[in-house]
Amino acid sequence: MLNVVVLVSGGGTNLQAVIDAVESGKITNTKITGVISNNTGAYALERAAKHGIANLCISPKQFGDREEFNRKFLEAIDQMRPDLIVLAGFLVVIPPEMIERYRNRIINIHPSLIPSFCGTGFYGLKVHEAALSRGVKVVGATVHFVDEGTDTGPIILQKAVEVQADDTPEVLQRRVMEQAEWKILPRAIDLIANGKVSVVDGLAVIKE
Ligand code: GRF
C-alpha cells in the first residue's frame, strides 16, 4: 500500500481528482495519509477534512527563518511516513534536504508541456498567459519527479490540450485542468503505486 501525502496551497482541484480516483478504485494500492497546506485558508484543507484525511497547515510565515521552517516542515512530512509526496499546486520551494531524502518519491503537476513554459516564474495563470502570448496551438500538462531544479526532474506523463481561437488565460487554465491535469496526476500515482515507474539514467521509464 502506497502512503501518499499531498501538498497544496489553494483550491485543491487536483487533490480532489486524486481523492476521487482512490475512492472509485481508479488508483489502487494507495492511501492518502495526509494533506499539508502552507495556507490556512486553502479550500484544499476542507476537501481533505470532508474525506476524513489528516490535514495541517505549516507556513514559512510561522517561523523566524527559512531554515527553521524547512526543519519543521521536514519533521511534519516524516511523521506522516509517506512513500510518495505529491505536489498538487504547492507554491513553496521544497527544501533541498527533503528532495535528497525523498529522491524520486516526490512528484509535481505542472500546467504545461515541459520544457515549454516552465521554470522560475511559470506558475498559475502566468503559464497560460505566456502560452497565449506566444501563440502556441497546443498546450498541456506534465507530471514529473522533483529534483533540485525548477520543473527539471524526470518526466513521468504528459497530455496535450488544444488551444482555441478565443481562449483567455482563465478558460485555457480550466481546459488544461479538466482535460490533462485531473487525468494524468491520478494516473501517475496509480502507476507508481503499482511499481510501474522507475528512473533510469535520469529519465522516468514506464512499464505498463
Ligand atoms: C494547477 O494548475 C497546478 O497545475 C498548478 O497549480 C494549480 C493548482 O490548482 N501547479 P488546484 O489547487 O489543484 O485546484
Side-chain angles (χ1 to χ4, degrees):
M1 185 67 88
L2 191 82
N3 280 335
V4 173
V5 169
V6 186
L7 308 187
V8 294
S9 297
T13 59
N14 278 287
L15 167 67
Q16 190 68 54
V18 175
I19 292 173
D20 292 346
V22 169
E23 291 184 352
S24 72
K26 273 194 182 165
I27 298 178
T28 56
N29 268 332
T30 297
K31 183 176 182 343
I32 306 173
T33 37
V35 171
I36 298 179
S37 169
N38 65 305
N39 165 11
T40 28
Y43 184 63
L45 290 173
E46 267 181 58
R47 294 182 192 269
K50 276 186 193 159
H51 290 265
I53 301 167
N55 58 94
L56 61 93
C57 175
I58 179 164
S59 160
K61 291 183 197 146
Q62 299 161 331
F63 301 94
D65 58 41
R66 199 60 177 218
E67 280 72 46
E68 198 187 349
F69 164 74
N70 284 353
R71 249 192 334 273
K72 290 284 160 45
F73 183 32
L74 191 50
E75 266 173 41
I77 293 276
D78 286 345
Q79 275 168 15
M80 290 179 166
R81 303 195 158 275
D83 301 308
L84 180 71
I85 298 167
V86 176
L87 312 186
F90 188 61
L91 296 176
V92 175
V93 174
I94 301 300
E97 307 78 38
M98 192 183 292
I99 294 171
E100 183 65 41
R101 186 168 309 173
Y102 292 93
R103 175 84 51 202
N104 297 333
R105 288 189 290 153
I106 308 175
I107 63 172
N108 180 49
I109 176 84
H110 182 76
S112 80
L113 293 173
I114 292 175
S116 289
F117 308 114
C118 65
T120 308
F122 285 101
Y123 60 89
L125 269 185
K126 290 177 194 290
V127 174
H128 307 288
E129 283 163 4
L132 290 179
S133 298
R134 186 62 185 83
V136 295
K137 306 302 179 226
V138 176
V139 292
T142 302
V143 181
H144 63 92
F145 285 113
V146 172
D147 67 8
E148 280 76 3
T150 306
D151 303 325
T152 53
I155 291 170
I156 303 167
L157 291 177
Q158 294 187 299
K159 190 164 191 297
V161 174
E162 284 189 12
V163 178
Q164 308 290 326
D166 54 353
D167 274 346
T168 62
E170 290 79 6
V171 167
L172 186 57
Q173 179 182 48
R174 181 75 191 180
R175 188 178 315 116
V176 169
M177 285 178 147
E178 284 176 359
Q179 295 185 6
E181 295 181 44
W182 301 344
K183 293 188 160 71
I184 62 174
L185 184 59
R187 178 86 188 118
I189 296 170
D190 184 58
L191 289 169
I192 292 168
N194 289 287
K196 293 181 176 161
V197 183
S198 53
V199 177
V200 181
D201 296 335
L203 299 180
V205 178
I206 296 172
K207 288 204 194 81
E208 299 214 38

